[in-house]
Amino acid sequence: MKKQEERCRLVLIVPQDADAKAQADRLEKALAGGDVASVILPQYDEDDTAFQDRAQLMVPMIQAAGAAALIAGDSRVAGRVKADGLHMAGSMEELEETIEKFSPKMIVGAGGASERHTALEVGERRPDYIFFGKLDGDIKPEAHPKNVALAEWWASMVEIPCIAMGGTDISSALEVAENGAEFVALRLAVFDHPEGPQEAVRLVNADLDEKAPRFEA
């Protein structure tokens, strides 16, 4: 087992950027900074064609770095660009249908669980992971306390891994890790870091290596 797999790992969420090439360049730098478990590509307000073109640019880059490329929401785009999986945040019916259709060929993760009852309903569908928070929910330096509390509760009782959304400061990654989540998602904390995304990922991994709790084998 790799050292990183013994503790909370980093998930990147690509931020919105009108310049796809500049966005891809920032992502490439982030991936060069150290261990990244997966990268989620949201569609934001792009049309399907533009989103597919952007994903086509980034998915091979993500996979070459050893991370899983996850497309938020659009299974057609995910298939066309040969992504590793899908991040779903719609209805229970949509999640169930997606898991039935694509699992285990592709990773299928689930967002949209903002309280315990919904989270347990999601868990009954057996996604590959559950995500606490919104993909663009990093609006304060720290992780949202509700997401951290949900992740702590979930990780203590359910085997399905969880990802908790961090804040705009890289120190929020350790905050999430200390509460038991298997993964922490960062967006602006990495891509808007004053020293650049590569250094941000390096610093996050160094902090997690040194201070994050270890999972039992």
Side-chain angles (χ1 to χ4, degrees):
M1 179 182 282
K2 295 179 183 176
K3 181 171 65 173
Q4 291 90 350
E5 292 172 353
E6 298 171 358
R7 48 82 170 159
C8 181
R9 296 180 70 199
L10 178 60
V11 172
L12 295 179
I13 299 173
V14 178
Q16 191 166 16
D17 192 328
D19 187 336
K21 192 173 184 307
Q23 188 185 52
D25 182 60
R26 290 161 75 204
L27 176 59
E28 189 170 34
K29 286 182 170 67
L31 291 166
D35 179 62
V36 173
S38 58
V39 179
I40 299 174
L41 296 174
Q43 186 164 355
Y44 295 111
D45 56 2
E46 283 190 311
D47 63 41
D48 290 350
T49 301
F51 181 46
Q52 183 173 321
D53 289 344
R54 190 178 296 256
Q56 190 70 67
L57 183 64
M58 296 184 190
V59 165
M61 180 189 303
I62 295 164
Q63 293 170 336
L70 308 177
I71 299 295
D74 196 320
S75 60
R76 292 169 300 178
V77 169
R80 289 168 188 160
V81 302
K82 297 180 172 59
D84 299 289
L86 285 157
H87 176 85
M88 305 300 296
S91 67
M92 291 294 171
E93 292 75 18
E94 185 181 13
L95 174 63
E96 201 163 352
E97 288 171 8
T98 303
I99 290 171
E100 195 172 302
K101 185 173 182 180
F102 293 103
S103 184
K105 300 187 295 294
M106 297 176 77
I107 298 165
V108 179
S114 58
E115 40 82 27
R116 291 186 178 191
H117 176 73
T118 306
L120 291 172
E121 283 192 329
V122 168
E124 288 174 2
R125 273 74 183 173
R126 307 297 298 174
D128 291 294
Y129 66 81
I130 188 168
F131 187 103
F132 294 114
K134 296 180 179 178
L135 297 182
D136 58 354
D138 49 345
I139 56 175
K140 292 185 178 181
E142 66 278 2
H144 195 294
K146 184 177 181 181
N147 298 330
V148 175
L150 281 168
E152 182 178 23
W153 161 75
W154 181 270
S156 70
M157 57 174 285
V158 184
E159 289 186 2
I160 297 168
C162 71
I163 305 173
M165 187 71 204
T168 58
D169 193 291
I170 58 171
S171 63
S172 63
L174 184 60
E175 176 192 4
V176 169
E178 287 175 338
N179 285 277
E182 289 87 355
F183 300 94
V184 57
L186 295 179
R187 188 179 65 128
L188 301 181
V190 166
F191 291 97
D192 286 356
H193 192 272
E195 294 180 57
Q198 182 170 344
E199 179 65 2
V201 170
R202 188 193 72 77
L203 289 169
V204 168
N205 274 296
D207 212 20
L208 294 174
D209 280 342
E210 182 184 353
K211 302 172 185 174
R214 268 41 189 177
F215 302 131
E216 294 178 8

